[in-house]
């Protein structure tokens, strides 16, 4: 036992010196806050202390990654750990890596006012390409330079002041190895930031604050920089003049009418692509009879598209109107800490109660963090439902009971409210509740899961119809993305994105499609809802309202390095440099006949719009201009 206690000498020395870094990170956070007071809401002393305590988890991850070699130098039982040359090497590791981390923290105290997020690799590249403004930066933030040298001095001075003396002979190699084996799992746990489903990411800082503007105080620049090095960063293209780009995507305002104070309920159905919905398959035995009957009463375009192929991409497009034009979904990208502005934020300004419902396990796909960042006041998942008997054993709560929980919960909200529900049962492994599986044992498991969610939807509407808010509600029906498809389905570049998008108002059900030749997409949902409600404020959208008779309707997608734009019956493919194909996807679904040389005017028009879209999107991402600290209008400088 005494040997093990002696072996902990190195561990105690390590923890004491890492404590120096924690202290300096806290001081940098305070400097960051004081240098950017105008960007944050006013805080009481107790609130600031709460933020600093929450920040310890994020600092722990950053410190463990930054000091990984330094930590190992203390824990690995090497025989020369007490020699002078080894100790000098440890000091060099400690000073160099932590000086770099503190440099990032302090630089960002001045740079934050330009981006309103903790900086990542893309911001660092922009700084390195802007040496001409460095003198001005140093002049404006001279005190940060002084603090940096003070931090370096403190690192060195405190390092020597925390040298522990050891009593007795060195511990045996076996006891040192035991301490290493016991400490290693704790180090791994610290590096991932806790036991949660996913390792701690910058976007999760939103989970620790009520006001999303405070999230940068909880996180730190070192972690943001480390995380962003693992992600692809965007380059802002210079296809068109900035003014030309903004003309194609202008600020919108509703007519000066009184806003309709209708409730809004968006029902996002997992994998409910056209291929799995009976409404689009004439003559087939439909797995979605209730959805079919309801969709027939919706306002809709004949053809509608998802903007991505994953749930994370679909939810972002529906909620915020941001199309998926990156390799990674927004919440897993280098721009996951960007502020966004969507329906929850815009309607919340008008007094709406806003909530996001998804019966998944906590942390699933970072939806809670994303919902917080995009302005939702409440988020409900499996934890809030709190009845393990309805857990499906895989993803979360079965759709039938969670739909009912959704109806009961929003029934307690004051009107008007905006609630978004995302189902989950119609997803691999396509399991359904035992009684339903027995009743429909003759169905293929995939089809049966759609039939089950359709029944859950029917029961939800049966319950909702008994509630007073029902007739004053605009319902939106859509899918997050296309599912695996029924037998015989052949996916092409166009139909692998085709989903239903419908708008249903019980007080004024539609009887026909909005237009026979218009198409729609997920990012059209935001402007369509605002248009329908006569939302009084300005907003910018990359989509178009389906209720606008002047808009033609487009579809924007990106996958496998190819951007594509759909309009009418045509699809244009663009690789970032030029058009690679133009096809009539309805009559030539497998792209056998390239029309890019036969239809030069159509090619030019679609390519020009797609270039503007990409440039606008990348500019807003890199500069964090979807919404600034005051949630200013999308893309506004």
């Amino acid at each position: 036992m005494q040997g093990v206690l002696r072996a902990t000498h190195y561990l105690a020395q390590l923890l004491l010196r890492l404590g120096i870094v924690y202290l300096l990170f806290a001081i940098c956070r305070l400097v960051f806050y004081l240098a950017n007071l105008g960007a944050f809401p006013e805080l009481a002393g107790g609130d600031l202390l709460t933020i600093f305590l929450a920040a310890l988890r994020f600092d722990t991850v950053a410190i463990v990654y930054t000091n990984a070699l330094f930590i190992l130098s203390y824990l690995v039982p090497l025989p020369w750990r007490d020699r002078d040359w080894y100790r000098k090497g440890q000091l060099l590791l400690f000073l160099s890596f932590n000086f770099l981390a503190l440099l990032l923290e302090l630089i960002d105290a001045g740079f934050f006012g330009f981006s309103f997020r903790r900086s990542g690799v893309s911001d660092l590249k922009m700084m390195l390409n802007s040496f001409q403004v460095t003198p001005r930066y140093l002049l404006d933030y001279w005190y940060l330079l002084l603090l940096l040298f003070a931090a370096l001095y403190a690192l060195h001075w405190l390092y020597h002041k925390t040298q522990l003396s050891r009593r007795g002979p060195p511990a045996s190699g076996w006891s040192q190895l035991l301490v290493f084996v016991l400490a290693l799992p704790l180090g791994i746990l610290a590096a991932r930031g806790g036991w949660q489903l996913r390792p701690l990411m910058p976007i999760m800082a939103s989970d620790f604050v009520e006001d999303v503007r405070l999230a940068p105080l909880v996180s730190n620049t070192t972690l943001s920089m480390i995380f962003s090095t693992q992600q692809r960063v965007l380059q802002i293209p210079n296809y068109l003049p900035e003014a030309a780009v903004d003309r194609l995507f202008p600020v919108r305002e509703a007519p000066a009418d009184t806003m309709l104070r209708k409730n809004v309920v968006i029902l996002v159905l997992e994998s409910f692509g056209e291929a799995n919905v009976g409404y689009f398959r004439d003559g087939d035995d439909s797995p979605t009879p209730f959805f079919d009957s309801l969709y027939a009463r919706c306002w809709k375009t004949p053809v509608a598209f998802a903007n991505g192929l994953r749930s994370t991409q679909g939810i972002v497009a529906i909620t915020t109107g941001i199309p998926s034009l990156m390799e990674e979904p927004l919440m897993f990208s280098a721009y996951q800490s960007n502020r966004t502005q969507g329906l929850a934020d815009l309607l919340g300004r008008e007094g709406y109660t806003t909530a996001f419902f998804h019966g998944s396990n906590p942390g699933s796909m970072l939806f809670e963090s994303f919902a917080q960042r995009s302005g939702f006041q409440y988020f409900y998942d499996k934890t809030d439902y709190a009845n393990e008997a309805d857990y499906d054993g895989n993803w979360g709560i079965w759709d039938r009971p969670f739909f009912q929980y959704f109806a009961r919960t929003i029934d307690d909200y004051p009107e008007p409210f905006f609630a978004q529900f995302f189902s989950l049962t119609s997803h691999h492994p396509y399991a359904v509740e035992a009684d339903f599986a027995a009743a429909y044992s003759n169905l293929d498991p995939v089809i049966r899961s759609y039939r089950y969610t359709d029944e859950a939807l029917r029961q939800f509407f049966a319950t909702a119809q008994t509630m007073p808010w029902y007739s004053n509600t605009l319902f939106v029906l859509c899918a997050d993305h296309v599912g695996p498809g029924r037998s015989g389905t052949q996916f092409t570049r166009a139909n692998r994105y085709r989903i239903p998008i419908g708008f249903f108002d019980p007080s004024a059900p539609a009887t026909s499609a909005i237009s026979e030749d218009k198409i729609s997409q997920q990012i059209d949902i935001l402007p369509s809802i605002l248009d329908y409600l006569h939302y009084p404020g300005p907003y910018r959208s990359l989509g178009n309202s389906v209720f606008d008779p002047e808009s033609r309707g487009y579809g924007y997608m990106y996958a496998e390095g190819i951007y594509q734009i759909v309009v009418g019956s045509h699809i244009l493919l663009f690789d970032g440099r030029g058009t690679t194909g133009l096809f009539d996807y309805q009559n030539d679904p497998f792209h056998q006949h390239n029309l890019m040389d036969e239809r030069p005017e159509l090619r030019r028009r679609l390519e020009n719009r797609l270039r503007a879209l990409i440039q606008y999107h990348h500019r807003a991402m890199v500069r964090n201009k979807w919404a600034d600290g005051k949630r200013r209008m999308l893309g506004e400088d």
Side-chain angles (χ1 to χ4, degrees):
M1 179 60 70
Q2 285 186 347
V4 174
L5 291 176
R6 286 198 299 270
T8 61
H9 164 81
Y10 298 107
L11 180 60
Q13 182 72 83
L14 170 65
L15 295 177
L16 189 59
R17 284 174 169 164
L18 291 180
I20 300 170
V21 189
Y22 276 100
L23 174 63
L24 293 176
F25 262 65
I27 293 173
C28 286
R29 178 169 284 104
L30 182 60
V31 172
F32 181 87
Y33 172 61
L34 295 176
N36 297 281
L37 277 174
F40 303 113
E42 187 174 345
L43 290 173
D47 295 331
L48 194 59
L49 178 61
T50 300
I51 287 174
F52 272 59
L53 291 176
L56 287 175
R57 286 181 64 181
F58 292 83
D59 289 353
T60 296
V61 177
I63 290 169
V64 169
Y65 274 104
T66 303
N67 290 274
L69 293 177
F70 181 71
I71 291 169
L72 288 174
S73 75
Y74 271 98
L75 294 181
V76 177
L78 299 173
W80 47 78
R81 282 187 292 177
D82 291 322
R83 296 183 182 178
D84 286 342
W85 65 266
Y86 190 87
R87 288 182 174 179
K88 290 179 181 178
Q90 287 179 312
L91 174 61
L92 181 61
L93 286 175
F94 183 81
L95 292 179
S96 56
F97 281 97
N98 287 305
F99 175 75
L100 179 60
L102 295 174
L103 172 65
L104 294 174
E105 299 298 326
L106 289 172
I107 285 178
D108 219 18
F111 191 75
F112 179 77
F114 299 97
S115 63
F116 293 100
R117 67 175 174 215
R118 291 285 187 168
S119 296
V121 169
S122 62
D123 301 294
L124 182 61
K125 287 183 176 180
M126 184 164 61
M127 293 181 210
L128 294 176
N129 290 328
S130 304
F131 276 119
Q132 68 274 14
V133 300
T134 300
R136 180 66 189 180
Y137 180 90
L138 294 177
L139 183 62
D140 290 342
Y141 298 102
W142 56 269
Y143 57 91
L144 295 178
L145 187 62
L146 293 181
L147 287 173
L148 179 62
F149 287 113
L152 178 61
Y153 177 81
L155 277 174
H156 189 272
W157 185 76
L158 290 172
Y159 187 92
H160 288 289
K161 288 294 182 180
T162 52
Q163 178 65 45
L164 295 178
S165 58
R166 185 181 60 221
R167 297 178 181 178
S172 67
W174 285 109
S175 59
Q176 294 182 47
L177 182 60
L178 178 61
V179 171
F180 170 71
V181 170
L182 293 175
L184 189 60
L186 296 177
I188 295 173
L189 182 65
R192 73 185 310 279
W195 292 103
Q196 70 280 347
L197 182 63
R198 295 181 181 275
L200 204 67
M201 301 180 190
I203 190 175
M204 294 180 181
S206 302
D207 301 344
F208 296 86
V209 292
E210 293 183 3
D211 190 324
V212 71
R213 289 175 294 173
L214 295 170
L217 276 181
V218 178
S219 187
N220 59 70
T221 305
T222 305
L223 177 59
S224 179
M225 198 68 67
I226 292 171
F227 178 81
S228 65
T229 59
Q230 306 167 40
Q231 313 300 320
R232 298 176 179 89
V233 296
L234 299 174
Q235 302 295 326
I236 303 175
N238 190 29
Y239 296 135
L240 301 168
E242 296 282 317
V245 172
D246 291 333
R247 279 196 300 270
L248 282 173
F249 302 104
V251 173
R252 301 163 187 261
E253 285 193 75
D257 296 336
T258 301
M259 181 176 177
L260 297 178
R261 313 281 302 169
K262 280 184 173 289
N263 310 305
V264 177
V265 171
I266 298 180
L267 301 171
V268 185
L269 303 178
E270 171 68 54
S271 302
F272 259 56
E274 279 194 7
N276 293 310
V277 174
Y279 180 89
F280 302 98
R281 298 176 67 95
D282 293 338
D284 283 1
D285 183 21
S286 175
T288 57
F290 177 76
F291 182 92
D292 301 345
S293 65
L294 184 62
Y295 198 65
R297 302 170 65 195
C298 288
W299 284 290
K300 54 191 173 290
T301 58
V303 176
F305 292 94
N307 289 108
L309 298 171
R310 306 181 202 173
S311 298
T312 44
Q313 295 169 323
I315 292 298
V316 170
I318 293 164
T319 307
T320 65
I322 301 175
S324 178
L325 300 181
M326 300 185 291
E327 296 292 342
E328 300 90 0
L330 174 61
M331 59 268 282
F332 293 101
S333 75
Y335 308 99
Q336 62 168 235
S337 295
N338 280 19
R339 289 188 172 109
T340 58
Q341 182 180 67
L343 283 165
D345 176 54
L346 294 170
L347 294 179
R349 296 185 197 179
E350 299 300 318
Y352 278 64
T353 301
T354 61
F356 190 113
F357 291 76
H358 185 43
S360 61
N361 294 304
S364 176
M365 293 182 278
L366 300 181
F367 283 141
E368 181 174 4
S369 300
F370 171 73
Q372 169 77 352
R373 282 198 167 271
S374 55
F376 283 97
Q377 298 160 10
Y378 302 102
F379 181 86
Y380 301 88
D381 61 12
K382 172 176 173 282
T383 304
D384 301 283
Y385 183 81
N387 184 353
E388 286 292 325
D390 292 329
Y391 177 46
D392 67 7
N394 295 289
W395 292 104
I397 304 301
W398 299 110
D399 280 350
R400 279 195 306 187
F402 202 69
F403 258 116
Q404 293 301 306
Y405 170 74
F406 172 51
R408 293 192 304 270
T409 302
I410 61 178
D411 190 44
D412 291 332
Y413 287 164
E415 297 187 55
F417 57 77
F418 164 49
Q420 183 165 312
F421 181 95
F422 181 26
S423 72
L424 56 70
T425 300
S426 48
H427 190 289
H428 185 272
Y430 305 108
V432 298
E433 292 182 83
D435 65 319
F436 198 89
Y440 292 89
S441 59
N442 60 314
L443 291 181
D444 174 83
V446 177
I447 300 303
R448 184 168 58 216
S449 72
Y450 290 100
R451 183 69 183 82
Y452 170 86
T453 296
D454 183 76
E455 174 61 18
L457 184 67
R458 185 194 69 77
Q459 293 182 10
F460 164 75
F461 271 91
T463 299
Q465 287 174 2
T466 67
M467 296 176 171
W469 49 265
Y470 175 75
S471 60
N472 188 44
T473 301
L474 174 66
F475 294 89
V476 181
L477 303 174
C478 62
D480 58 335
H481 57 74
V482 170
R486 299 172 73 180
S487 177
T489 301
Q490 290 185 293
F491 285 120
T492 65
R493 275 201 168 270
N495 73 7
R496 64 174 172 170
Y497 291 94
R498 288 182 64 163
I499 62 169
I501 298 177
F503 300 84
F504 173 65
D505 184 341
S507 66
T511 57
S512 63
I514 291 171
S515 171
E516 292 303 321
D517 61 355
K518 182 183 289 189
I519 67 174
S520 59
Q521 57 184 325
Q522 285 170 331
I523 65 170
D524 293 338
I525 291 175
L526 182 150
S528 298
I529 290 174
L530 297 180
D531 187 14
Y532 191 80
L533 298 179
H534 300 291
Y535 176 76
Y539 65 94
R540 196 186 294 269
S541 173
L542 299 181
N544 296 290
S545 168
V546 298
F547 302 109
D548 180 2
E550 301 299 322
S551 70
R552 184 168 186 181
Y554 295 89
Y556 308 128
M557 306 93 177
Y558 173 79
E560 299 153 358
I562 299 295
Y563 302 93
Q564 57 191 54
I565 180 172
V566 182
V567 64
S569 63
H570 290 92
I571 181 171
L572 179 136
L573 310 181
F574 179 75
D575 65 3
R577 296 178 298 276
T579 296
T580 61
L582 174 64
F583 304 94
D584 182 341
Y585 73 90
Q586 292 183 344
N587 298 309
D588 179 22
F590 295 102
H591 301 174
Q592 302 297 308
H593 185 192
N594 195 335
L595 302 172
M596 58 185 291
D597 294 327
E598 299 176 25
R599 301 288 303 275
E601 179 57 30
L602 178 62
R603 169 188 171 182
R604 183 200 63 77
R605 179 167 59 86
L606 294 183
E607 183 179 299
N608 191 59
R609 187 174 187 89
L610 191 53
R611 286 176 183 270
L613 175 85
I614 297 166
Q615 186 169 328
Y616 189 99
H617 173 275
H618 289 13
R619 181 186 71 186
M621 281 294 173
V622 171
R623 298 178 185 173
N624 193 15
K625 289 297 184 180
W626 296 102
D628 70 11
K630 298 178 182 178
R631 291 195 181 277
R632 197 167 52 185
M633 290 305 100
L634 173 70
E636 182 181 55
D637 292 324

